Structure formats: structure tokens, C-alpha cells
Amino acid sequence: MKIKMLPNWVKKLGFLLFIICSFISGYSHFMEGFTGQTCNSGNYDELVGKELSHVFDILSILGLIIYMFSKEKIEDDYINKLRLESFQLTSFIGLAITIIAYAISEEIRLTLDYFIILFLWIYLVTFAFKKRIY
Amino acid sequence: MKNLIKVERARHRLTQGDLAEKVGVSRQTIYAIENNKFNPSVTLAIKMARYFKVTVEYLFDIEE
């Protein structure tokens, strides 16, 4: 399976974007929980507003997606095979988690970002594990 | 499919990393081929056979 991928140098850019944006957005969520204030209240609003925090959330996800779709240093058929297997396993695990969560409680309501982050992280961990196992 | 990559590699005194570099693939790919976890493409098989100066049939054979 040949997938059109981004060049290898973009990988570092994606990772950097993810680190910076997730730090800013993570800090905003942490402060929200720590102070008990929402993003739009108090002095905190001056630093990072709710809309801006959402933008950083999206940018951090975008960074992970860029990282995910970048080529490895050496791209060959075996790496493509591992990538395909990782996608397959990620789909199964994601589906299994969703079904189990639904089975445990029908009332569970999750926002879309939980599914996006779950999918991206499972894929990245699976792919990294498969690549380093040998 | 069985192969003689490991034998030929030892004969040429090459590490997996060396061979990987010569044929332009990752070290993991060589490991996977040697341990029958991955069947190489025709292009890669020919590249390796040419590098070892042997035929593809000698390097790779189907297990009966």
C-alpha cells in the first residue's frame, strides 16, 4: 500500500507544534481546574481566552496529525506494512474501547476530542512499538 | 519462504545495519526478512541478490 506522505523534516515541525500548543492548552485546562475558574473569568481571561484555548487544542491535534503523516527517515515496504497494521489495530482498539464504554454506561457523553486524541495516540504508540520491537 | 540472507550476510561480514544501508532499507526490514516475518518485494529481492552476486532463486526459496 503506497500512501502519499509528508516529507521527513515536517515530522519535527509537527512534533514542535504539538508540544508548544498542547503545553499552552494544557496549562489553560490545568489552571481552569486548579483555580476553579472558567477560561472566560477573572485575570485568566486576559492570558488565554476560551476561544484561543480551543484554537491551541486544534493546533496540537494538527501537530500530531502532521507527525503521524510524515515519512520515516528510511521509508520502505516493511515500514508501510507496519503502518497499515498499526492503523488496523488502532481501529480495533478504538472500536473496542467505544463499545466497552457504551456497555458500561449508556449515559456516557464524550466530546469529539476524546475520540480524536484516543485514535491518534493509540496509532502513534502502536506504530512506535511495532517499529522498535526488533 | 526461507532465505539465505543471514548466511550471505555472515559470508560478507556485514551487520544488518550495513546490509540495510547498501540496499536502501531500514535495519528492521532486514531483521524481519531474516526471521521470515516479512517477504520482500521483487525489487528488494533483486537488489539483495545483485549485491551478494547470487541469483534470487538461490537467496530465496519456497518452503515445500
Side-chain angles (χ1 to χ4, degrees), chain B residues 30-51:
Chain B
I30 301 296
Y31 175 90
I33 295 169
E34 281 184 4
N35 290 281
N36 294 318
K37 291 178 191 298
F38 174 63
N39 288 332
S41 65
V42 178
T43 316
L44 182 55
I46 292 172
K47 268 186 190 175
M48 285 197 280
R50 278 187 184 166
Y51 180 76

Side-chain angles (χ1 to χ4, degrees), chain A residues 48-108:
Chain A
V48 183
K50 195 172 184 179
E51 285 78 18
L52 199 59
S53 173
H54 183 61
V55 169
F56 281 120
D57 271 344
I58 291 167
L59 284 176
S60 71
I61 289 170
L62 191 71
L64 267 188
I65 290 170
I66 291 171
Y67 184 85
M68 186 173 148
F69 285 104
S70 304
K71 280 182 182 173
E72 294 298 305
K73 270 182 191 159
I74 301 167
E75 194 74 21
D76 57 26
D77 290 345
Y78 184 60
I79 295 291
N80 274 332
K81 182 182 174 260
L82 291 185
R83 192 172 281 126
L84 184 65
E85 281 177 4
S86 306
F87 269 122
Q88 199 178 29
L89 195 64
T90 304
S91 308
F92 285 133
I93 295 172
L95 197 63
I97 291 172
T98 312
I99 291 169
I100 290 166
Y102 182 67
I104 290 169
S105 172
E106 207 180 325
E107 300 302 314
I108 287 179

Side-chain angles (χ1 to χ4, degrees), chain A residues 31-45:
Chain A
M31 288 308 283
E32 203 178 311
F34 190 68
T35 59
Q37 292 177 324
T38 59
C39 286
N40 285 332
S41 64
N43 300 329
Y44 191 65
D45 188 29

